[in-house]
Amino acid sequence: MLLVVNPISGGIDKSEFIEATKHLATKENQNLILYKTSGVADISTIKMLYKQYKPERIIIIGGDGTIKMVAEATESQNVILGILPAGSANGLAVDLDLMKTLEENLDIAFYNNYIELDTIVINNQNCFHLSDLGLNAELVKNYEKSSIHGKWGYFLQAINTLMDLGEPFMATITTVNQTIECEARMIVIANSKKYGTGIVINPDGVMNDGKFELVILKKLDLMIFGEIITGNMPLNPEEIEILSTNKATITTNFPVSFQIDGEYCGAETELNITISSSKIKIAIP
């Protein structure tokens, strides 16, 4: 088995996670190869380690960004990913019901069956969970610049983002069978249902149905955004529109902040979105 650890994700110490994983691997007579990410050439290093050791499973200690990194490094390979959630954003783990005790998650990661998740491709970049244009992506940008990580850092940057709230953007969205124009504060490209806060942003999302949803938040004011951050937002049909498709293009009237799976990707005026033929295997309860 390969163990990939993000030392800084979530702003928490990973020693307990690592020791517990080593202990179970020893008990199961598994050769465990440990790799700690550094932010430099991590994907190529994970590819090299996979090629060298051919692990049957890769255990990941980190959040959505770490899972995305490992998934990209092992794309098209026959390997099961086991998740021990330890990030600032654990949205994928929330969606897959993996926010459990360390002991329970180790059992799932080592022994359980898996789901084959769809991969969304956005401007030639892979998305496995949730991406968005607009306000939340601006929050992700501010969080990445901050020296304070974890939930407290996320909360502080949410306040800063709200204080700097600009004008909404105009978007033209073209899917397989329709084109719409709308004013929006945020457009979510969703492979799943929930953000890491637990808020259900896409109630009809299915992660292996060959489709994704575009969740258009038209009237996202300060109060509603605060409720998204704290996981309490009610879905109001008058303020939110949801489109389900397997292909779409989004264009905006000015560059808008954009993020994929918790990683800021810059400001964009056009997104081309499709479903990939590749899927990733993740161990689930």
Side-chain angles (χ1 to χ4, degrees), residues 53-127:
Y53 294 104
K54 293 291 193 297
E56 293 181 4
R57 296 198 178 211
I58 300 178
I59 312 301
I60 301 167
I61 300 175
D64 288 337
T66 314
I67 297 166
K68 174 181 167 62
M69 178 194 304
V70 176
E72 290 186 342
T74 58
E75 189 174 8
S76 302
Q77 303 292 354
N78 185 24
V79 62
I80 299 170
L81 309 184
I83 301 173
L84 306 183
S88 301
N90 297 300
L92 189 58
V94 169
D95 257 313
L96 295 176
D97 193 25
L98 290 170
M99 299 304 291
K100 300 180 180 295
T101 66
L102 176 55
E103 183 179 358
E104 287 173 317
N105 278 328
L106 277 168
D107 282 344
I108 294 166
F110 269 65
Y111 308 122
N112 277 28
N113 211 332
Y114 58 86
I115 186 173
E116 292 191 348
L117 300 187
D118 291 327
T119 302
I120 305 173
V121 181
I122 309 172
N123 288 4
N124 297 316
Q125 298 186 71
N126 290 339
C127 167

Side-chain angles (χ1 to χ4, degrees), residues 1-5 17-19 21-22 32-36 49 57-61 82 84:
M1 286 188 175
L2 175 62
L3 174 60
V4 176
V5 182
F17 292 82
I18 295 170
E19 291 308 311
T21 307
K22 286 181 177 178
L32 190 71
I33 309 301
L34 172 62
Y35 174 68
K36 294 184 178 180
L49 290 170
R57 296 198 178 211
I58 300 178
I59 312 301
I60 301 167
I61 300 175
L84 306 183

Side-chain angles (χ1 to χ4, degrees), residues 11 54 77 86 125 141 185-186 249:
K54 293 291 193 297
Q77 303 292 354
Q125 298 186 71
K141 178 181 74 173
R185 284 289 187 186
M186 183 167 142
T249 299

Side-chain angles (χ1 to χ4, degrees), residues 40-258:
V40 179
D42 288 317
I43 289 181
S44 59
T45 303
I46 294 167
K47 284 182 177 179
M48 180 192 69
L49 290 170
Y50 180 85
K51 184 177 181 180
Q52 181 177 356
Y53 294 104
K54 293 291 193 297
E56 293 181 4
R57 296 198 178 211
I58 300 178
I59 312 301
I60 301 167
I61 300 175
D64 288 337
T66 314
I67 297 166
K68 174 181 167 62
M69 178 194 304
V70 176
E72 290 186 342
T74 58
E75 189 174 8
S76 302
Q77 303 292 354
N78 185 24
V79 62
I80 299 170
L81 309 184
I83 301 173
L84 306 183
S88 301
N90 297 300
L92 189 58
V94 169
D95 257 313
L96 295 176
D97 193 25
L98 290 170
M99 299 304 291
K100 300 180 180 295
T101 66
L102 176 55
E103 183 179 358
E104 287 173 317
N105 278 328
L106 277 168
D107 282 344
I108 294 166
F110 269 65
Y111 308 122
N112 277 28
N113 211 332
Y114 58 86
I115 186 173
E116 292 191 348
L117 300 187
D118 291 327
T119 302
I120 305 173
V121 181
I122 309 172
N123 288 4
N124 297 316
Q125 298 186 71
N126 290 339
C127 167
F128 302 105
H129 183 236
L130 291 169
S131 299
D132 51 60
L133 274 168
L135 198 52
N136 187 63
E138 194 70 19
L139 167 56
V140 170
K141 178 181 74 173
N142 293 337
Y143 177 80
E144 287 184 356
K145 291 179 179 178
S146 172
S147 60
I148 304 173
H149 292 277
K151 300 295 183 184
W152 178 239
Y154 194 73
F155 176 73
L156 287 176
Q157 294 311 314
I159 294 173
N160 290 339
T161 304
L162 291 172
M163 289 177 66
D164 294 334
L165 187 66
E167 293 298 313
F169 57 92
M170 293 298 300
T172 301
I173 302 171
T174 302
T175 66
V176 175
N177 53 16
Q178 64 179 312
T179 297
I180 67 169
E181 294 186 357
C182 61
E183 184 178 83
R185 284 289 187 186
M186 183 167 142
I187 299 175
V188 184
I189 303 149
N191 193 36
S192 56
K193 295 186 178 187
K194 302 175 185 176
Y195 276 109
T197 57
I199 181 64
V200 177
I201 195 72
N202 179 31
D204 298 324
V206 178
M207 301 176 77
N208 59 349
D209 64 350
K211 294 183 177 182
F212 58 88
E213 282 71 45
L214 299 176
V215 184
I216 307 160
L217 292 97
K218 301 175 181 178
K219 298 179 180 178
L220 188 59
D221 61 23
L222 301 185
M223 183 175 294
I224 292 176
F225 187 58
E227 289 172 340
I228 290 177
I229 298 302
T230 56
N232 298 312
M233 188 188 75
L235 291 175
N236 185 338
E238 294 180 1
E239 298 174 342
I240 297 177
E241 184 172 356
I242 301 177
L243 309 176
S244 183
T245 185
N246 61 6
K247 186 177 182 180
T249 299
I250 302 172
T251 57
T252 60
N253 62 328
F254 58 80
V256 179
S257 288
F258 171 58

